[in-house]
Amino acid sequence: MEYWLEILPPIAQGFKTSLTVYLLTMALALPLGLVLGLLADMVKPARPIIGVFTWIIRGTPLLLQLYVTMYAIPLLIPMRMDRFFAGTVTFVINYAAYFAEIFRSGLAIIPLGQWQAGQVLGLKKREIIFNIILPQMFRNTLLPLINEAITLVKDTSLLAAIAIGEMLRNAKEIVGKDLRVDALVIAGIFYLLFSFMVVSVGKRLEKTYLKQM
Amino acid sequence: MEYWLEILPPIAQGFKTSLTVYLLTMALALPLGLVLGLLADMVKPARPIIGVFTWIIRGTPLLLQLYVTMYAIPLLIPMRMDRFFAGTVTFVINYAAYFAEIFRSGLAIIPLGQWQAGQVLGLKKREIIFNIILPQMFRNTLLPLINEAITLVKDTSLLAAIAIGEMLRNAKEIVGKDLRVDALVIAGIFYLLFSFMVVSVGKRLEKTYLKQM
Amino acid sequence: MLKLQNITYAYDQEPILKGIGFSVNEGEILGILGLSGSGKTTLLKIISGLLVPDEGEYLIENQPAFIKQKKSDKVASELGVVFQQFNLFPHLSVLDNLVMPLRLRTKKPKSECIATAVELLDVLGLKDQIAKFPYQCSGGQQQRIAIARALVLNPKILLIDEPTSSLDKENTKKVEELLKSLHGRGLTLIIITHDLPFAQAMCQRVIELSEGRVVFDGLAESYFNA
Amino acid sequence: MLKLQNITYAYDQEPILKGIGFSVNEGEILGILGLSGSGKTTLLKIISGLLVPDEGEYLIENQPAFIKQKKSDKVASELGVVFQQFNLFPHLSVLDNLVMPLRLRTKKPKSECIATAVELLDVLGLKDQIAKFPYQCSGGQQQRIAIARALVLNPKILLIDEPTSSLDKENTKKVEELLKSLHGRGLTLIIITHDLPFAQAMCQRVIELSEGRVVFDGLAESYFNA
Amino acid sequence: AANTTKDTSLSDLEKAGKLVVGYTEYPPMGFTEDGTVTGFDIEIAKEVAERLGVDVEFQIIDWDAKVLELNSGNIDVIWNGLTITEDRAKEILFSKPYFDNRIVILTLGSSTVDAISELGGLKVGVEIQSSGQAALEGNAVFSSLDEMVKYTTITEAILDLQAGGIDAIVADEIFARYAVSKNPEGYRVADEVFNSENYGIGFRLEDKALRDKVDEILDEMSEDGTGSAISVEWFGEDLLLR
Ligand SMILES: Nc1ncnc2c1ncn2[C@@H]1O[C@H](COP(=O)(O)OP(=O)(O)OP(=O)(O)O)[C@@H](O)[C@H]1O
Ligand SMILES: Nc1ncnc2c1ncn2[C@@H]1O[C@H](COP(=O)(O)OP(=O)(O)OP(=O)(O)O)[C@@H](O)[C@H]1O
Ligand SMILES: [Mg+2]
Ligand SMILES: [Mg+2]
């Protein structure tokens, strides 16, 4: 117990870092993915471009992408890359690609009649999207989005690859130093609590959106 | 070029391992996830149990789960765990949890009227599921499933954590030995081709399933 | 053949059916009339076993239709239903909307099922639509497909909700003739409709629902002459 | 007010409209009749700007309704449309199905919009349904909600596809009276229907479609007496 | 390229005013304890920076990305039990060896393995691409092993040793001694050792001036006794190599 209290601060510190990147990624990747998904659904010429983007981004490991942003770009454009900035930007772009495909799926299955009803009511495209299409799309995509949101919790551990002190790295450091797995157990509990929060938010949204209609 | 030919065999060997686990995981996790998703959608009392299962499995890192199967279970039940078996089982369970949630989502948005139409035609539950519900569910879930299928391509690299010689580990080993990144480039190409195949299969399915209806 | 006694049903505390009782005899054509919202469709869903009544008894060929809240196999095997919103299968072609259930129920070879389905669709003037998907069909075409899908299985009893709502005179006539000829071969019919001329032309007996109760139950003649 | 000339339209090579021409004058009530599958709904979608005709000219108040394949703003702002399948918004309550477009179009305060919507729903006998969601409403209720949603925006021209298909006599009367009173205040009406008594009661002029062409265009009187 | 452009590494460092040292968690060479970085390498590096007249900053890095970190300029030196090898010398400029590390066999306390030859027929774990792997592969016993199991990190090897997946680990002596010191009952180190290897400090290939200056300072520290004092503090004996 005493040992747990001793190793808690660095783990909690790492958790704070992971959480910050998590929240920034969600806050930025969701709208970016939404825009990409909408463009792919609605603007025919944009579709192949977005298709190639999502293929490349989803096709290469996030780890590799972190390396590219952190170590390759500064070789091309001489600059000191801020670790935190590089990590967050890479995460946002990566997750936006996954979100875009989910949103595209949720849009594709909305009946054409819903668009038409909005159009003949004289609503502007933007109004149709926000008031008719998006609410129905969120219903269609909620659970896959929660899946990604949970995956992101754990993907934050990849930040260690560009030497950001996120939670899992800090925990592994302690294991390496003390040769006791307690730190990994604590990190596991943190992850579980974090994902439980995500799942809970999901369940609440489910009640609002996933009801019969 | 000569160097590439020299390092190709171990990378190709690793690819074979990764591919085997990939195919086994898809072949087993999809039906398992489907059963869980259907149970959660249709059998009220099964819902909370499946809910806890998917939360715990999705809430903890796959890496940690690999550690548990490979290193913790043998401490409890004295046995020599086969690496390949442990890895595959863990992957199947992990992905089944994600698939289950996606399927549950795809089922929830099928109108009640479709079930009812099947029922009054005197079809058996199994017949309704296979002929009416599943085809419509696949349409609703295709793109999120492709997302997971692509993620799995890259997650196979986690097998290295239980000392399985998957592709990325073999490539990294060569990099560490020769201090040339060629091996990583080749592995990257393999991943990209692999994910491209997944995306292509997805696009073909999209044409069949995602059309307007 | 069917016997309902004191059936009640409520959607989330809102009582819709407040003690419905009537019976349907073999070979009869019964019309169910009533204002919009009077509970006709709800009643149809109970008769077809999709909703379990809160109270009351429902017998089908003298046996309980629900055993421990679950509908008996009889309900599905003897009844055919056409829904007010059709509920066609959107992922199947018009032809497959008929062939799929036909094959599963009869286990007959595919070619035979297709022949049966095409013949029936032809009678309803849908021959040109068989390769289309439901969303590509007009309102009246969809309605006829729904009727064909219920009839292709040769049910003993057909429950049909507003069968002519989207049909013009000519197609109404087609449906009328088809139903009458099937009735001649023993089909029992329960028709929900607000199309009074159609009801008058088709029905032998009529019941009228109002505010969740049966307010008329008698011969069609006496109903329409009142 | 509206003028269509030589309009053609085909779904994937299948020609549906083969040269349609007619005009609609301000304050008129025009009925569009025709067999199921004759292209009435397709024509409605062209008039309301949802489908772009393959050929032909369509003028609205003497201006082209389509400019470079895109419909002009006029189309949406002057026209109200009731679809054959209603296309209600499933995620919104009955009340919000009306209030949402009303607020966005008029920018009036919420309370005012609600009051307007409730009043209209009441006229159509839907007062008790305002808190429900569309899937909880009966077929006839859904149809009236769709009519209310189109009318709440006070369009100059109302296009309405089979407005009485799911309505009983009493509710048909309600709709008839409402439309007539709005017509008295200047509404132009285009009604697609197969309900001949309703058409006879409502329409001043009638056109009939058959196999993609206009086969009758004239006064309702002469149509129904022919 | 290093020959044609002028080597400004030393003056650049003085201008920047600080030396950025890249390290990983590798006790007891460098690691975090109670929130501060410490260890043998770390303490030596602090002294060297002081004598260079600059501040020192410790940047933790991912070991896989060490060369990338160095070349992208994020760190100035890799200083963390970095083994000198011919292959690495193509990418990294090494200081003179400063530490002698031997490769040993680590087993559970219950094991009786004492000689390299006794590894025959056993499952033996190594960290991938470590000196342990190289030593094992270079030894005659390699062909008689049941299996050599390669782990991405030494931690996983330890976990598998406990789980019974392997019978022994071949690893750096300092790591093995460290494991035993943490749990004297649980682990033991076999008597016979493999060959030894040397640690050096890694610089960018072009930073010759800086490398030479650091070597010079280390020589001084060795002569005036500061170096051995630090070594005694960490290992109980003077292991600083000059
Ligand atoms: N799922 C539901 N939840 C709540 N109320 C419902 C639901 N379904 C129907 N109702 C209500 O029950 C009443 C009867 O509905 P029902 O569909 O049986 O009417 P109906 O007689 O078929 O009317 P119509 O002729 O308009 O189709 C209506 O007031 C309707 O709003
Ligand atoms: N999306 C589509 N793709 C292909 N064919 C279509 C499509 N929509 C309609 N059609 C066909 O076009 C023809 C005209 O359809 P439309 O819906 O305009 O008929 P309608 O006159 O409104 O009939 P109803 O009275 O039955 O509603 C029909 O034969 C129909 O099958
Ligand atoms: Mg009804
Ligand atoms: Mg139509």
Side-chain angles (χ1 to χ4, degrees):
Chain A
M1 203 57 227
E2 214 171 294
Y3 176 67
W4 281 43
L5 285 178
E6 190 186 308
I7 63 179
L8 202 60
I11 297 178
Q13 178 60 37
F15 180 71
K16 217 181 100 192
T17 307
S18 303
L19 185 66
T20 313
V21 177
Y22 184 90
L23 293 177
L24 281 171
T25 304
M26 286 302 263
L28 299 171
L30 277 172
L32 182 55
L34 184 56
V35 169
L36 292 173
L38 278 168
L39 284 176
D41 187 66
M42 289 167 48
V43 185
K44 270 252 169 88
R47 206 167 299 174
I49 304 169
I50 295 173
V52 170
F53 168 78
T54 55
W55 164 51
I56 293 181
I57 297 294
R58 293 184 306 160
T60 49
L62 180 47
L63 185 68
L64 194 72
Q65 291 164 17
L66 285 169
Y67 279 173
V68 167
T69 335
M70 187 66 205
Y71 305 122
I73 291 179
L75 289 182
L76 303 177
I77 317 150
M79 61 183 285
R80 271 231 166 175
M81 186 65 85
D82 181 71
R83 286 172 201 284
F84 194 82
F85 175 80
T88 308
V89 166
T90 313
F91 267 74
V92 168
I93 291 174
N94 184 278
Y95 270 79
Y98 285 90
F99 287 148
E101 286 293 294
I102 292 180
F103 287 136
R104 186 165 74 87
S105 159
L107 291 168
I109 58 185
I110 293 176
L112 202 58
Q114 292 294 312
W115 280 99
Q116 296 183 335
Q119 274 171 281
V120 300
L121 286 167
L123 303 184
K124 299 195 191 72
K125 215 165 200 172
R126 197 178 41 75
E127 293 171 334
I128 297 176
I129 291 174
F130 278 97
N131 296 284
I132 301 170
I133 302 305
L134 293 195
Q136 298 187 47
M137 184 201 67
F138 276 122
R139 171 172 190 260
N140 299 341
T141 57
L142 182 63
L143 298 189
L145 286 180
I146 302 291
N147 263 358
E148 294 296 339
I150 294 176
T151 306
L152 177 56
V153 171
K154 293 163 290 171
D155 270 356
T156 53
S157 69
L158 292 175
L159 289 169
I162 54 169
I164 293 179
E166 50 74 45
M167 179 167 66
L168 192 63
R169 192 200 69 178
N170 289 6
K172 274 187 179 165
E173 258 171 48
I174 295 167
V175 173
K177 188 175 58 147
D178 300 343
L179 296 175
R180 286 179 61 172
V181 293
D182 305 48
L184 276 183
V185 173
I186 295 180
I189 293 171
F190 264 99
Y191 277 128
L192 211 54
L193 286 179
F194 193 171
S195 76
F196 183 63
M197 269 164 40
V198 174
V199 170
S200 306
V201 171
K203 288 266 174 251
R204 191 131 18 118
L205 291 172
E206 223 179 87
K207 288 223 176 77
T208 321
Y209 283 104
L210 210 61
K211 60 176 184 248
Q212 205 197 339
M213 62 183 212
Chain B
M1 202 56 226
E2 216 172 293
Y3 175 68
W4 281 43
L5 286 178
E6 187 186 311
I7 62 178
L8 204 59
I11 297 176
Q13 178 60 38
F15 179 71
K16 217 180 99 191
T17 307
S18 303
L19 185 65
T20 313
V21 176
Y22 183 90
L23 293 177
L24 281 172
T25 304
M26 287 301 264
L28 299 171
L30 278 173
L32 181 57
L34 184 56
V35 169
L36 292 174
L38 278 168
L39 284 176
D41 186 66
M42 289 166 49
V43 186
K44 271 255 169 85
R47 206 166 299 174
I49 303 168
I50 296 173
V52 170
F53 169 78
T54 56
W55 163 51
I56 292 181
I57 297 295
R58 295 184 305 159
T60 49
L62 180 49
L63 185 67
L64 198 70
Q65 290 164 18
L66 286 168
Y67 281 174
V68 168
T69 334
M70 188 66 207
Y71 305 132
I73 290 178
L75 289 183
L76 303 177
I77 317 150
M79 62 184 283
R80 273 227 170 177
M81 185 67 85
D82 180 70
R83 286 172 204 288
F84 194 81
F85 175 79
T88 307
V89 167
T90 313
F91 267 75
V92 168
I93 292 174
N94 185 280
Y95 270 79
Y98 284 90
F99 288 148
E101 285 293 292
I102 293 180
F103 287 135
R104 186 164 74 87
S105 159
L107 291 168
I109 59 185
I110 294 176
L112 202 58
Q114 292 294 312
W115 280 100
Q116 296 182 336
Q119 275 171 277
V120 300
L121 287 167
L123 303 184
K124 298 193 192 74
K125 214 165 202 172
R126 198 178 39 76
E127 294 172 333
I128 298 177
I129 290 174
F130 277 97
N131 295 283
I132 302 171
I133 301 305
L134 293 194
Q136 298 188 47
M137 184 202 67
F138 277 122
R139 171 173 191 259
N140 298 343
T141 57
L142 182 62
L143 298 189
L145 286 179
I146 302 292
N147 264 359
E148 295 296 339
I150 295 176
T151 306
L152 177 57
V153 171
K154 293 164 289 173
D155 270 356
T156 53
S157 68
L158 291 176
L159 290 169
I162 53 172
I164 292 178
E166 51 75 41
M167 179 167 65
L168 191 63
R169 193 198 72 170
N170 289 5
K172 273 188 180 165
E173 208 174 332
I174 295 167
V175 172
K177 194 171 60 169
D178 302 344
L179 292 172
R180 284 178 62 172
V181 292
D182 305 49
L184 275 181
V185 173
I186 295 178
I189 293 171
F190 266 101
Y191 278 129
L192 210 54
L193 286 180
F194 194 170
S195 75
F196 182 64
M197 268 163 44
V198 175
V199 171
S200 306
V201 171
K203 287 265 175 252
R204 193 137 9 124
L205 291 172
E206 223 178 87
K207 287 223 176 77
T208 323
Y209 283 104
L210 209 62
K211 61 174 185 250
Q212 204 197 337
M213 61 186 214
Chain C
M1 198 154 201
L2 301 184
K3 197 173 161 66
L4 285 83
Q5 266 179 321
N6 201 31
I7 297 281
T8 65
Y9 190 82
Y11 291 108
D12 348 282
Q13 338 295 5
E14 190 194 342
I16 302 297
L17 303 180
K18 303 169 184 164
I20 300 278
F22 65 93
S23 52
V24 185
N25 304 316
E26 190 159 354
E28 200 173 26
I29 306 186
L30 174 71
I32 300 182
L33 310 178
L35 289 187
S36 170
S38 58
K40 303 182 296 296
T41 298
T42 307
L43 181 58
L44 171 133
K45 287 190 178 158
I46 287 174
I47 298 176
S48 51
L50 297 172
L51 293 177
V52 183
D54 297 333
E55 289 169 50
E57 209 178 7
Y58 168 21
L59 299 176
I60 181 163
E61 293 186 334
N62 291 320
Q63 290 175 356
F66 292 98
I67 299 156
K68 289 191 184 154
Q69 308 278 67
K70 269 191 58 116
K71 70 162 192 250
S72 80
D73 287 344
K74 267 225 148 76
V75 177
S77 63
E78 311 219 325
L79 259 62
V81 179
V82 182
F83 293 99
Q84 194 170 11
Q85 344 268 13
F86 316 149
N87 296 345
L88 297 175
F89 302 129
H91 61 296
L92 297 178
S93 70
V94 170
L95 184 63
D96 285 340
N97 262 273
L98 274 68
V99 170
M100 183 270 283
L102 189 57
R103 285 203 71 190
L104 290 171
R105 282 291 299 279
T106 63
K107 315 282 177 209
K108 280 188 193 154
K110 190 161 186 181
S111 58
E112 204 174 310
C113 292
I114 291 178
T116 315
V118 170
E119 198 183 330
L120 184 57
L121 288 168
D122 194 18
V123 172
L124 288 166
L126 293 165
K127 205 169 181 183
D128 293 342
Q129 318 299 329
I130 58 172
K132 285 188 182 169
F133 283 83
Y135 82 94
Q136 295 173 313
C137 294
S138 79
Q141 288 165 349
Q142 290 182 19
Q143 185 154 42
R144 283 172 285 153
I145 299 163
I147 294 172
R149 187 177 66 179
L151 287 177
V152 83
L153 291 175
N154 261 317
K156 282 200 193 164
I157 309 169
L158 183 70
L159 281 156
I160 181 163
D161 201 349
E162 307 281 8
T164 62
S165 63
S166 307
L167 297 184
D168 55 89
K169 235 171 151 178
E170 212 166 285
N171 280 298
T172 301
K173 197 92 208 138
K174 271 188 206 151
V175 170
E176 194 180 311
E177 276 163 15
L178 177 63
L179 293 180
K180 277 194 172 151
S181 91
L182 292 170
H183 175 245
R185 283 189 261 150
L187 179 70
T188 304
L189 275 161
I190 302 175
I191 303 174
I192 296 175
T193 189
H194 61 264
D195 182 345
L196 297 186
F198 179 73
Q200 198 164 2
M202 288 290 305
C203 303
Q204 299 160 340
R205 215 180 100 213
V206 155
I207 68 172
E208 186 183 333
L209 292 192
S210 177
E211 306 199 336
R213 291 179 210 282
V214 177
V215 294
F216 180 93
D217 184 344
L219 287 183
E221 276 168 43
S222 59
Y223 183 82
F224 289 109
N225 297 338
Chain D
M1 200 154 199
L2 303 183
K3 198 174 160 67
L4 286 83
Q5 266 179 321
N6 202 31
I7 297 282
T8 66
Y9 191 82
Y11 291 107
D12 346 284
Q13 335 295 7
E14 189 194 344
I16 302 296
L17 303 180
K18 303 168 184 166
I20 299 278
F22 64 92
S23 53
V24 186
N25 303 316
E26 188 158 355
E28 200 172 23
I29 305 186
L30 174 70
I32 299 183
L33 309 178
L35 290 187
S36 171
S38 58
K40 305 182 295 295
T41 299
T42 307
L43 181 58
L44 171 133
K45 287 193 179 156
I46 288 174
I47 299 176
S48 51
L50 297 172
L51 294 176
V52 183
D54 298 333
E55 289 171 50
E57 209 178 7
Y58 168 22
L59 299 176
I60 181 165
E61 293 188 333
N62 292 317
Q63 290 176 354
F66 293 97
I67 300 156
K68 290 189 182 157
Q69 307 278 68
K70 271 194 57 120
K71 69 162 194 249
S72 80
D73 289 345
K74 267 224 147 78
V75 177
S77 63
E78 311 220 325
L79 258 62
V81 178
V82 181
F83 293 99
Q84 193 170 9
Q85 343 269 17
F86 317 149
N87 295 345
L88 297 175
F89 302 128
H91 62 296
L92 296 179
S93 70
V94 170
L95 184 62
D96 284 340
N97 262 273
L98 275 69
V99 170
M100 184 269 284
L102 190 57
R103 284 203 71 191
L104 291 171
R105 283 289 299 279
T106 63
K107 315 282 178 207
K108 281 188 190 153
K110 189 161 188 181
S111 58
E112 207 174 307
C113 293
I114 292 178
T116 314
V118 170
E119 198 183 329
L120 183 57
L121 288 168
D122 194 18
V123 172
L124 288 166
L126 293 164
K127 206 168 181 183
D128 293 343
Q129 319 298 329
I130 57 173
K132 285 189 180 167
F133 283 83
Y135 82 93
Q136 297 173 313
C137 294
S138 79
Q141 287 165 350
Q142 290 181 18
Q143 185 155 42
R144 284 173 283 154
I145 298 163
I147 295 172
R149 188 178 65 178
L151 287 176
V152 81
L153 291 174
N154 259 317
K156 281 199 194 165
I157 309 170
L158 183 70
L159 280 156
I160 181 163
D161 201 348
E162 307 281 8
T164 61
S165 63
S166 307
L167 297 184
D168 54 90
K169 234 172 152 179
E170 211 167 285
N171 280 297
T172 301
K173 197 92 209 135
K174 269 189 205 150
V175 170
E176 195 179 311
E177 276 164 15
L178 177 62
L179 292 180
K180 277 195 170 151
S181 93
L182 291 170
H183 175 247
R185 284 188 261 147
L187 180 69
T188 305
L189 275 161
I190 302 175
I191 302 174
I192 295 176
T193 189
H194 60 264
D195 182 347
L196 297 185
F198 179 73
Q200 198 162 5
M202 288 291 304
C203 303
Q204 301 160 341
R205 218 180 99 213
V206 155
I207 68 172
E208 186 184 332
L209 292 192
S210 178
E211 307 201 334
R213 291 179 210 283
V214 176
V215 295
F216 180 93
D217 183 345
L219 286 184
E221 276 167 43
S222 57
Y223 183 82
F224 289 108
N225 298 339
Chain E
N3 297 337
T4 52
T5 55
K6 213 166 151 270
D7 182 3
T8 57
S9 53
L10 198 54
S11 55
D12 284 351
L13 183 79
E14 276 156 7
K15 227 182 290 158
K18 73 176 178 197
L19 178 72
V20 185
V21 174
Y23 75 103
T24 61
E25 202 64 20
Y26 187 46
M29 304 306 272
F31 60 103
T32 325
E33 193 160 66
D34 305 329
T36 53
V37 194
T38 185
F40 173 74
D41 277 345
I42 301 296
E43 296 308 323
I44 297 276
K46 279 184 189 161
E47 181 65 25
V48 168
E50 173 135 13
R51 294 186 188 208
L52 275 168
V54 294
D55 290 339
V56 64
E57 182 187 311
F58 294 101
Q59 172 64 56
I60 190 148
I61 57 171
D62 192 75
W63 198 241
D64 286 342
K66 56 186 177 289
V67 178
L68 292 170
E69 293 278 4
L70 188 65
N71 288 338
S72 65
N74 291 325
I75 57 174
D76 296 317
V77 292
I78 307 166
W79 196 333
N80 200 191
L82 176 68
T83 305
I84 301 172
T85 68
E86 250 172 64
D87 285 336
R88 279 180 179 164
K90 291 177 203 148
E91 298 270 331
I92 299 170
L93 181 68
F94 281 105
S95 67
K96 285 198 290 183
Y98 69 90
F99 196 90
D100 180 15
N101 186 35
R102 299 185 301 174
I103 304 299
V104 301
I105 300 164
L106 177 71
T107 60
L108 289 179
S110 55
S111 166
T112 56
V113 172
D114 251 331
I116 292 172
S117 61
E118 287 175 56
L119 291 177
L122 298 184
K123 281 189 178 6
V124 182
V126 294
E127 184 179 318
I128 245 180
Q129 279 309 300
S130 65
S131 324
Q133 182 185 343
L136 189 58
E137 283 171 349
N139 194 286
V141 79
F142 182 64
S143 56
S144 65
L145 295 181
D146 176 16
E147 187 186 356
M148 180 177 79
V149 185
K150 296 179 277 190
Y151 299 88
T152 34
T153 69
I154 195 76
T155 312
E156 283 150 3
I158 288 275
L159 287 171
D160 212 7
L161 184 67
Q162 285 171 347
I166 51 175
D167 306 298
I169 297 172
V170 173
D172 294 357
E173 178 171 26
I174 55 161
F175 174 78
R177 295 258 176 247
Y178 183 71
V180 173
S181 78
K182 282 278 163 189
N183 185 354
E185 321 275 81
Y187 304 109
R188 62 189 284 275
V189 173
D191 289 340
E192 189 182 356
V193 302
F194 287 87
N195 54 327
S196 51
E197 53 165 32
N198 291 322
Y199 288 164
I201 305 157
F203 299 82
R204 277 181 286 273
L205 285 175
E206 61 269 23
D207 289 2
K208 287 215 171 59
L210 178 59
R211 191 269 313 260
D212 294 344
K213 183 68 187 167
V214 170
D215 266 340
E216 199 179 299
I217 292 171
L218 283 172
D219 289 343
E220 277 170 36
M221 284 172 63
S222 165
E223 276 159 34
D224 65 21
T226 10
S228 76
I230 293 172
S231 177
V232 167
E233 187 187 324
W234 286 99
F235 301 107
E237 52 188 310
D238 183 6
L239 295 175
L240 185 67
L241 212 62
R242 275 290 85 186

